[in-house]
Amino acid sequence: MKMSILHKFRPPHLINRQSCAKVFSCYTRRTSATTTTNEGTKPTHSVKPFSEMPEALSGPRFISMFYFIYLYITKKSPALTSFYTTMKQKHDYAKTVFQAPEKEHRRFKLQLMDFFTKKNNFQKPLALLDGKEWEVQRKPTQEKMLRPAVVANYVPLIEKVTDDFIEKLGRKDKTEDLFTDLLNYATESVGMLCFNKRLGCMENDNNPVAVNVRKLFEMLGTSVMRPRKSHMTPDSKFYQEYEKETFEFTKIAGDLIDSQKVLLTKMKDEGRLEKYLEEEPNFLHSLLSDPRVTEESATSMVTTLFGAGIETSANTLTFVLTDLSLYPDKQKTLYEEIQRVVGDSTNLTKEHLARMSYLKACVKESLRRTFPLSSGTGRYLETDLEVGGYEIPKDTLVVVNSALMSNDERFFPRPTEYLPERWLRDTEGELTVSRNFPFAYTPFGNGPRSCLGQRFAENEIFIAVIKIIQNFQISLPAGVTEIKSDYTLFRTPSEKVTLYFKKR
């Protein structure tokens, strides 16, 4: 299936839930288009009805199916830009979608996960909740996961795991499967955050916990991209395998949570709990001790954080390290910052992390170049909204295609280059254009439903990159000029990556 074929069609920009209830989503070529009017205010200029929007004409279901058939077969996101190159102010459209009035905060749900939860009468994780039910669970959790001062307390826990990872890397001069090594590291690191316990994932390249998590994400990604949903039945082989893997994961997480509860109870009974918490933060305890959080909700949240935080961190770390290898001058600049801020210290502090602007710029630039999702953030409109001169009805699912915006030269000059400098405050010139388009870069989502684990993930990634670059000069094999990637649920390397580690 060649790209030229796709340019003959106009895949759906927006899909009306009322008229096309079963269509998955809506995609734009570069961004979702939208300009806002205040709720209850009529626009003063002529606005065309939704039915006249080119993407809303006859056949949206067929074209949506066509898009996902392409995505399912190739695992590539087609850059369908020809129809939209004449449209202007797309960033303003994205801004309006993100700022549209919301009360229910409805989002697209992973149907396979939703089906499993309902079938087995499991408590819904936060990602499957809307409205007041979502708000009640979200508020106490975000207080413990999104406040930088709170998250900084977990730096020593992550650093212990990272030091062991560095020691492991030091015993060899290269890895022939960078992503798997990082997946094992992320499993161990996130496990320490969630359970205050080492899982032994870095001692075994085929650790069952990491293997199980990766399998689940692959299956969720496959389910999303499949144009037909015949696998969403209890007797389908695909669903039965997913159910088996999910039961295995929940058992692993449940056993770890139960053991932590027993330990916390024992320390409390012995009068040692307060001293223990002064020395080591405990995320599970912070949830259980909050009167707003039920024990069932705490278990669900810790399980979700554990599962969701592994694959995403491993992917991001892979692309950050390979970008730094492809651009050795940027790696050199980062090493100089590490030397200047951290020196030869083996212990990182939150003060160190706060001063490392180039490190943060490097991670941001990798997330921009290799956007973690195939498209971007989607939301159901809760009111009618004007979009580029068209009125989009309430209950339409609108997806902002941040993946294409992040590589659009109008928002990010020289988009194919790795230029961390574009994120630095003292940078001047053409690279500063991106400052005018804050909604063009949203790798963690936007608004109240942005990624809950963002701060934890960033600290984990920052610490790993600091330790690796502090100890090693990294490089790719001769002749490698790019890292190819595929889309499953998230952007992931399409083949094994070899990376060399030269001790400094």
Side-chain angles (χ1 to χ4, degrees):
M1 190 177 295
K2 296 181 179 179
M3 186 67 71
S4 58
I5 297 176
L6 290 175
H7 280 277
K8 297 178 182 179
F9 297 91
R10 296 173 181 171
H13 180 128
L14 302 163
I15 292 173
N16 185 275
R17 201 180 182 196
Q18 297 166 334
S19 60
C20 283
K22 294 183 180 180
V23 180
F24 164 72
S25 182
C26 47
Y27 283 81
T28 75
R29 303 304 60 95
R30 294 203 183 246
T31 171
S32 191
T34 226
T35 50
T36 187
T37 58
N38 293 328
E39 188 172 4
T41 303
K42 294 292 184 181
T44 57
H45 56 282
S46 176
V47 180
K48 297 179 182 178
F50 179 74
S51 59
E52 293 185 17
M53 178 175 278
E55 299 79 3
L57 297 178
S58 61
R61 178 171 173 77
F62 163 74
I63 295 175
S64 178
M65 295 268 290
F66 185 87
Y67 176 89
F68 282 98
I69 288 171
Y70 179 90
L71 192 60
Y72 177 61
I73 292 174
T74 66
K75 295 185 179 179
K76 307 294 181 186
S77 181
L80 304 173
T81 61
S82 60
F83 181 71
Y84 290 95
T85 52
T86 59
M87 291 186 67
K88 305 297 182 184
Q89 297 178 324
K90 294 181 187 177
H91 179 268
D92 289 340
Y93 302 156
K95 176 181 178 180
T96 304
V97 171
F98 287 138
Q99 294 185 340
E102 288 188 294
K103 294 180 180 178
E104 296 296 314
H105 300 282
R106 289 181 295 149
R107 298 293 183 268
F108 166 74
K109 296 176 175 60
L110 293 170
Q111 293 176 317
L112 185 61
M113 183 188 295
D114 194 33
F115 183 76
F116 168 85
T117 301
K118 292 175 180 176
K119 177 179 179 294
N120 294 284
N121 199 30
F122 274 37
Q123 174 164 329
K124 286 186 177 182
L126 198 59
L128 297 180
L129 299 178
D130 294 317
K132 190 66 177 178
E133 192 179 13
W134 165 80
E135 185 180 345
V136 167
Q137 286 202 29
R138 168 85 181 200
K139 189 173 182 180
T141 307
Q142 73 179 18
E143 291 173 4
K144 299 165 179 57
M145 295 180 65
L146 288 178
R147 291 180 177 175
V150 175
V151 175
N153 294 328
Y154 293 85
V155 169
L157 290 182
I158 302 174
E159 189 175 26
K160 291 177 184 177
V161 177
T162 310
D163 286 340
D164 288 348
F165 184 54
I166 295 300
E167 184 181 348
K168 178 182 177 181
L169 294 178
R171 295 196 295 265
K172 53 186 180 181
D173 62 354
K174 69 175 180 178
T175 174
E176 295 183 346
D177 189 353
L178 177 63
F179 177 73
T180 295
D181 277 349
L182 292 172
L183 191 70
N184 290 330
Y185 161 73
T187 307
E188 189 77 7
S189 178
V190 177
M192 192 67 178
L193 280 171
C194 292
F195 314 115
N196 291 70
K197 183 176 181 179
R198 297 298 294 267
L199 306 180
C201 296
M202 293 188 298
E203 299 168 8
N204 180 3
D205 288 344
N206 293 309
N207 184 276
V209 181
V211 171
N212 173 259
V213 169
R214 188 172 193 188
K215 180 66 175 177
L216 281 174
F217 271 91
E218 286 177 348
M219 297 190 77
L220 284 169
T222 298
S223 174
V224 168
M225 291 188 293
R226 279 187 173 180
R228 297 186 63 189
K229 303 301 178 185
S230 57
H231 61 287
M232 298 281 291
T233 57
D235 57 347
S236 75
K237 184 177 179 181
F238 181 91
Y239 174 77
Q240 289 175 358
E241 184 179 2
Y242 173 79
E243 188 173 66
K244 174 179 172 292
E245 294 290 339
T246 304
F247 279 135
E248 183 177 338
F249 173 74
T250 53
K251 183 181 186 308
I252 292 170
D255 288 347
L256 289 166
I257 291 171
D258 287 343
S259 68
Q260 263 296 292
K261 289 178 181 177
V262 170
L263 179 62
L264 291 170
T265 300
K266 181 181 179 182
M267 285 193 291
K268 182 179 180 180
D269 292 342
E270 296 174 353
R272 297 186 294 118
L273 182 59
E274 187 174 343
K275 187 174 186 300
Y276 161 73
L277 293 174
E278 289 176 357
E279 297 174 351
E280 184 172 291
N282 189 294
F283 180 64
L284 177 61
H285 179 268
S286 72
L287 290 174
L288 292 172
S289 60
D290 191 321
R292 298 169 296 176
V293 181
T294 65
E295 186 169 334
E296 189 177 23
S297 294
T299 299
S300 175
M301 180 49 62
V302 172
T303 302
T304 299
L305 175 63
F306 181 51
I310 296 172
E311 177 99 355
T312 49
S313 292
N315 280 321
T316 301
L317 272 170
T318 298
F319 293 118
V320 172
L321 294 176
T322 52
D323 279 340
L324 290 170
S325 299
L326 288 167
Y327 292 82
D329 58 323
K330 311 303 181 186
Q331 182 181 160
K332 180 176 182 292
T333 302
L334 176 57
Y335 176 70
E336 290 171 352
E337 179 181 74
I338 294 171
Q339 287 297 97
R340 185 171 62 253
V341 176
V342 182
D344 295 327
S345 174
T346 57
N347 294 318
L348 294 175
T349 66
K350 59 184 180 182
E351 288 76 20
H352 286 145
L353 296 181
R355 293 169 54 197
M356 303 199 68
S357 57
Y358 197 77
L359 165 70
K360 296 170 185 176
C362 287
V363 174
K364 279 187 174 182
E365 184 68 350
S366 289
L367 285 168
R368 181 200 65 79
R369 270 180 31 108
T370 311
F371 195 78
L373 302 173
S374 61
S375 180
T377 302
R379 56 187 57 190
Y380 287 103
L381 299 183
E382 296 187 20
T383 61
D384 294 348
L385 202 66
E386 184 191 334
V387 178
Y390 297 90
E391 185 177 81
I392 309 305
K394 175 184 176 181
D395 293 325
T396 300
L397 174 60
V398 182
V399 177
V400 176
N401 199 328
S402 301
L404 288 176
M405 291 183 74
S406 293
N407 284 274
D408 189 322
E409 62 185 3
R410 292 173 300 171
F411 309 132
F412 297 97
R414 297 156 64 187
T416 61
E417 297 179 52
Y418 183 65
L419 298 169
E421 289 75 13
R422 74 171 81 244
W423 302 102
L424 300 178
R425 290 181 180 180
D426 58 355
T427 295
E428 299 178 352
E430 65 169 347
L431 294 182
T432 63
V433 167
S434 59
R435 297 173 187 170
N436 300 321
F437 306 106
F439 293 97
Y441 173 82
T442 55
F444 293 98
N446 181 272
R449 291 202 74 148
S450 60
C451 176
L452 259 179
Q454 176 179 349
R455 300 300 182 197
F456 278 138
E458 287 176 335
N459 271 4
E460 179 187 21
I461 292 164
F462 294 157
I463 292 169
V465 174
I466 291 171
K467 294 281 186 175
I468 289 172
I469 301 302
Q470 184 184 40
N471 287 276
F472 306 103
Q473 181 179 340
I474 57 176
S475 60
L476 291 161
V480 175
T481 58
E482 67 172 327
I483 301 300
K484 297 179 180 179
S485 60
D486 291 334
Y487 287 104
T488 52
L489 190 58
F490 298 102
R491 192 88 167 261
T492 191
S494 57
E495 53 193 16
K496 290 183 178 181
V497 176
T498 296
L499 195 70
Y500 290 94
F501 300 91
K502 181 181 178 181
K503 291 184 179 179
R504 295 191 185 273

